[in-house]
Amino acid sequence: MSDTAHLWMRHEARRTERRAPLTPQDAARLVEAGIRITVEESAQRAFPLADYTAAGCATAPTDSWHAQAPDDAYVLGLKELPAGPAAPALRHRHIYFGHAYKGQAGARELLARFTAGGGALLDMEYLTDEAGRRVAAFGYWAGYVGAALAVLHHRRALTAPLVPTDRPALDALLASTAADGDTTAALVIGALGRCGRGACDALVQAGLEPTRWDLAETRALDRAALLGHDLLVNTVLTTTPVPPFLTKADLDETDRRLSLVCDVTCDVTSDCNVLPVYDETTTWDTPVRTLRDGGRPLDLIAIDNLPSLLPVEASTAFSAELAPHLLRLAEWDGVWARALHTYRTAVEAQEAPLVI
C-alpha cells in the first residue's frame, strides 16, 4: 500500500442527494497533508466544483470512477451505487453507506459485486472507535429534519415536493406555524442518541416539549402510552432484531391517538426494523403516506436521506468528523481495519456465493 491515499469522490446517483462526504474546506486540509483527491462533476452537489479545485483537488467527469479511478483509489460517496442487471463487479475499495450487513433488500447482490471484482466495502455506518461508537454520522441532522417535517405536516404546513433549505429558514418556518396553547403530544424514541437529540431540538424549536424515551423505556415498552401521543419520531437503529415498537394491529386500536409516525431510521427491509407497519419508504416528491384513513387516520414519513434537505449544515458537520480518519487511510488504523473486518465477516456469512 502506498504511503498516501487517493480519494475519488463520486457524483451521487440519487437525484435528491445534495450532500458531500467531504467539504472543500476539509479537502484542502487533506490535500495539504499529501492526500490526492479527485472530485467528480456533479450538478446537484451543494458545494461547487470550483471550490474543490481551489482546494487543490483534481476533477473528473460524472460517474467516471468505475472506468477511470485507479485500482488503488478509495471511492468516496454517501448513498447507493448505480444498480441494475448490468451492474459491474466492483474492484475498488468504496467508502459509503452500503446498507448491506443486516439482510436488507439487495444486500447479497451488492456484496457479490464486491467479491467478484476484488474490491471492499468500508461502510460508513461501521466506522467505529475502540468502544464501538461511530466516528462520523449524520444522525443529528436526520433527527432534526425528520421531527421538523413531522411538525409541519401535523400543522398542515408541509408542501411537496420537498426542496433543500438551510436551518435558519427551516427554524423560521417552524416558528411561524407555532400557536399558543399547542397541546400536541410528541414522543421521541431513542432520545439520548445523536439522532434523538436532533429530533428533540427541532421539537423544542417548534414550541413543543417532547416525551423522551430511550433504552430504559423500550425494555418494557408501554404501548398504550406510545399510542397516546399525537406524533412519534423513531430514531432507534438496532443491529439485532428486537420486539417491534409498533405493529399493524396497534394501528387498528380504537383508542389510538397517534396520528403521525416519522421513522428516521428507515430500516424497512431489515429484520431489525422496529416499526414493521410499512413496506416502503416515502420520498421528496411524496413525503407522506397514509397507513390508515377514515375516522382515525395515521400518516407516515419515512425518508431515508433526510439530512440532504439541510445539505450544507449536514455535510459540514459530517465532513469535520470523517476528515481526521481519512488522513489515516494509508496507515490503515483501527477504524479502517475494523470496517474491513466487518465487511469480510458479512461476506463470509453469506449462505452461498452469488454468480453475477
Side-chain angles (χ1 to χ4, degrees):
M1 185 176 296
S2 64
D3 293 335
T4 60
H6 182 183
L7 289 172
W8 187 290
M9 192 167 78
R10 60 177 170 85
H11 161 80
E12 294 292 330
R14 187 184 298 205
R15 67 174 180 83
T16 58
E17 189 51 72
R18 305 290 191 267
R19 294 170 293 173
L22 185 66
T23 64
Q25 184 178 17
D26 289 327
R29 296 190 181 99
L30 298 186
V31 170
E32 186 177 353
I35 293 179
R36 295 177 57 201
I37 301 178
T38 301
V39 179
E40 289 188 356
E41 299 171 355
S42 177
Q44 64 197 41
R45 190 183 295 126
F47 303 92
L49 188 65
D51 291 354
Y52 288 100
T53 58
C57 302
T59 63
T62 301
D63 293 331
S64 59
W65 58 265
H66 45 82
Q68 296 185 20
D71 289 351
D72 63 352
Y74 293 85
V75 179
L76 180 65
L78 287 174
K79 300 301 285 185
E80 64 274 2
L81 298 172
L90 298 168
R91 72 182 191 279
H92 297 99
R93 291 161 294 188
H94 284 254
I95 305 170
Y96 76 109
F97 292 100
H99 302 300
Y101 297 162
K102 294 187 292 182
Q104 296 99 322
R108 293 188 71 239
E109 291 80 3
L110 176 62
L111 293 178
R113 292 175 64 189
F114 278 107
T115 56
L121 170 60
L122 304 174
D123 197 305
M124 285 176 168
E125 187 178 331
Y126 296 86
L127 300 182
T128 60
D129 62 16
E130 295 84 352
R133 295 182 295 262
R134 290 176 61 181
V135 300
F138 283 101
Y140 180 87
W141 295 105
Y144 198 96
V145 175
L149 296 184
V151 170
L152 293 173
H153 178 63
H154 185 69
R155 293 173 175 172
R156 294 180 170 82
L158 185 65
T159 58
L162 303 178
V163 294
T165 184
D166 57 31
R167 182 173 181 174
L170 181 59
D171 287 351
L173 183 57
L174 290 173
S176 71
T177 61
D180 293 337
D182 190 342
T183 60
T184 299
L187 169 63
V188 176
I189 304 184
L192 299 183
R194 280 190 269 199
C195 190
R197 291 196 302 270
C200 290
D201 285 353
L203 291 168
V204 170
Q205 179 68 33
L208 305 176
E209 181 51 50
T211 303
R212 304 170 193 240
W213 286 5
D214 209 82
L215 288 174
E217 292 79 9
T218 55
R219 288 194 183 100
L221 188 140
D222 187 337
R223 203 170 301 276
L226 186 157
L227 295 174
H229 289 80
D230 298 292
L231 311 180
L232 165 62
V233 182
N234 173 56
T235 68
V236 173
L237 178 66
T238 179
T239 57
T240 57
V242 299
F245 299 159
L246 196 64
T247 67
K248 291 182 179 179
D250 296 324
L251 306 190
D252 297 320
E253 288 288 337
T254 57
D255 58 350
R256 168 177 57 79
R257 177 175 174 178
L258 186 68
S259 63
L260 176 62
V261 173
C262 178
D263 187 10
V264 177
T265 303
C266 291
D267 229 354
V268 60
T269 64
S270 167
D271 291 337
C272 300
N273 184 14
V274 297
L275 293 176
V277 296
Y278 68 101
D279 54 9
E280 61 181 345
T281 57
T282 62
T283 67
W284 287 25
D285 290 331
T286 309
V288 182
R289 175 184 172 192
T290 298
L291 297 180
R292 292 291 186 274
D293 53 15
R296 201 172 298 275
L298 190 145
D299 290 336
L300 168 76
I301 297 175
I303 297 170
D304 64 0
N305 68 334
L306 286 166
S308 195
L309 288 163
L310 294 180
V312 173
E313 290 95 337
S315 298
T316 299
F318 184 84
S319 176
E321 294 178 342
L322 181 64
H325 300 283
L326 293 175
L327 272 172
R328 296 191 289 274
L329 257 177
E331 301 170 18
W332 208 242
D333 75 348
V335 167
W336 302 108
R338 283 187 288 272
L340 182 61
H341 174 74
T342 302
Y343 162 72
R344 288 173 173 166
T345 300
V347 169
E348 292 169 1
Q350 298 297 317
E351 294 180 358
L354 294 180
V355 177
I356 63 172

